[in-house]
Amino acid sequence: MPSKSPLVIGHRGAPGYRPEHTRSSYELALAMGVDAVEPDVIATKDGVLVVRHENEISGTTDVAAHPEFADRRTTKRVDGHSLTGWFTEDFTWDELATLRSRERVPALRASSASFDGAEPILRLVDVLDLVRKGAREHGRDIGVVLEVKHATHFAGIGLDLAPLIERDLRAAGWADGGLPLIIESFEQTVLGQLRACGIVASYIYLVEAAGRPYDLVSALGAHAPDYPSAVTPRGLDELVGTVDGVSVDKRMLLAAGSSIVADAHARGLEVFTWTCRPENSFLAKRFRGRGGPAAFGDYEAEWGVIAGTGVDGVFVDHPDLGVAFFCG
């Protein structure tokens, strides 16, 4: 194991134990010792920033059980993909506040699903407030890793996310560098917009193992570079000075011969990876064990390979396991 422990980031809180992005999920992550938590940020039709994995919310809320919203079900194209369901941008905040959260993968996390219906959706300002209070309660610095979701999509419908994020960060006292803040996105454009706003943070470019960033697809069409090219030596050279690091799909670090971390570090860039989960369903095939998709496999072996790369930060769904392994 490298001498320096990576940051352990509660991915949407502690979703291995509670429905993601709920107050109890975040509070549990803070109590379990994470260095930071990660809210995904999207917008309502009236410009309120809420934390949800996606703007399509049928899988993470009870919206389908609300007859008053039945006519909001629709089909849209988001980042080039056709999706059918209910979308945050078609609701006001007051309407979304009537919904309750649900476990996104109940077949794998039945214990978490037992908390379905217990908690409302949170706004970004709610998460910033509970992290600040949690840091005081636990007597240590705790950061926020703010993921900006679908910025190009929202800009296309008149909901530019950058000024909304700036508004909430400044109002909450998270914009001037006094509190630990990382901002990440799968789209470089919105990262540049937020940096230009003067938000003091580390800016991290999220990189998929395949596909193309939608902001560049929108601008360049078929000429848009793919994600993997961003973490080649040439791609990393081009990122220097525009972002502070990259956050890659863990499969890219587990691949034989991967030099992403070393190449990035040589250029002064940090590397994060997502997402470290213990269930067989999420482990690389060689680390899976008996008991079916929901059973824990040899996650420590997989995580050991990841830690051995010298990665700077890891996203975890089970913060107690992540803290024990990466910081123990």
Side-chain angles (χ1 to χ4, degrees):
M1 295 268 293
S3 57
K4 178 186 174 184
S5 297
L7 290 176
V8 176
I9 302 156
H11 182 236
R12 310 170 197 160
Y17 303 109
R18 298 290 189 277
E20 64 190 27
H21 290 313
T22 57
R23 180 173 293 273
S24 66
S25 182
Y26 285 113
E27 289 179 341
L28 187 57
L30 302 181
M32 287 178 167
V34 295
D35 297 299
V37 293
E38 184 227 27
D40 298 320
V41 175
I42 51 182
T44 67
K45 69 187 298 183
D46 52 346
V48 176
L49 294 176
V50 296
V51 292
R52 289 283 95 188
H53 174 53
E54 294 291 345
N55 58 326
E56 199 289 292
I57 55 173
S58 62
T60 60
T61 73
D62 63 354
V63 64
H66 285 251
E68 68 272 26
F69 299 137
D71 62 352
R72 308 284 177 93
R73 188 173 187 268
T74 189
T75 298
K76 299 188 179 190
R77 291 193 69 80
V78 179
D79 295 359
H81 302 287
S82 180
L83 297 173
T84 298
W86 288 263
F87 297 83
T88 58
E89 62 263 32
D90 296 329
F91 293 80
T92 65
W93 163 243
D94 286 345
E95 290 172 331
L96 284 183
T98 68
L99 305 182
R100 293 297 177 264
S101 299
R102 299 180 63 85
E103 169 57 44
R104 187 170 57 86
V105 285
L108 293 176
R109 293 176 172 169
S111 178
S112 177
S114 70
F115 295 91
D116 282 358
E119 298 183 73
I121 291 175
L122 297 177
R123 300 165 297 177
L124 173 60
V125 292
D126 298 322
V127 176
L128 297 174
D129 182 59
L130 72 86
V131 173
R132 186 195 294 269
K133 290 178 178 177
R136 290 199 298 266
E137 177 184 349
H138 298 292
R140 67 179 196 278
D141 290 337
I142 304 174
V144 168
V145 181
L146 190 162
E147 181 178 346
V148 186
K149 301 298 285 276
H150 307 303
T152 299
H153 167 76
F154 278 104
I157 57 174
L159 284 167
D160 287 311
L161 295 184
L164 300 178
I165 292 168
E166 180 187 11
R167 175 199 67 195
D168 283 4
L169 290 176
R170 291 198 185 284
W174 281 84
D176 60 2
L179 295 166
L181 176 66
I182 296 170
I183 300 177
E184 61 180 9
S185 179
F186 287 103
E187 300 178 81
Q188 290 186 66
T189 303
V190 72
L191 296 179
Q193 292 168 345
L194 286 163
R195 189 188 285 274
C197 290
I199 303 299
V200 180
S202 291
Y203 289 86
I204 303 295
Y205 183 35
L206 285 160
V207 176
E208 296 266 19
R212 301 172 188 272
Y214 191 65
D215 57 336
L216 299 185
V217 170
S218 295
L220 303 173
H223 299 290
D226 62 17
Y227 279 116
S229 67
V231 290
T232 63
R234 179 177 178 180
L236 291 168
D237 284 341
E238 293 175 353
L239 291 177
V240 172
T242 64
V243 295
D244 300 296
V246 294
S247 184
V248 301
D249 185 321
K250 68 175 183 177
R251 292 177 293 175
M252 302 175 83
L253 300 187
L254 293 170
S258 174
S259 62
I260 291 172
V261 175
D263 291 342
H265 284 175
R267 291 159 174 81
L269 297 170
E270 291 187 300
V271 182
F272 295 74
T273 195
W274 42 274
T275 302
C276 292
R277 298 167 166 135
E279 295 103 334
N280 283 322
S281 180
F282 301 115
L283 294 173
K285 189 173 182 179
R286 66 184 185 273
F287 300 113
R288 295 173 191 166
R290 298 179 182 273
F296 287 9
D298 191 3
Y299 68 89
E300 291 183 322
E302 182 185 272
W303 296 3
V305 174
I306 291 169
T309 67
V311 71
D312 300 290
V314 294
F315 291 83
V316 300
D317 279 9
H318 297 72
D320 54 340
L321 302 182
V323 170
F325 182 84
F326 290 104
C327 304

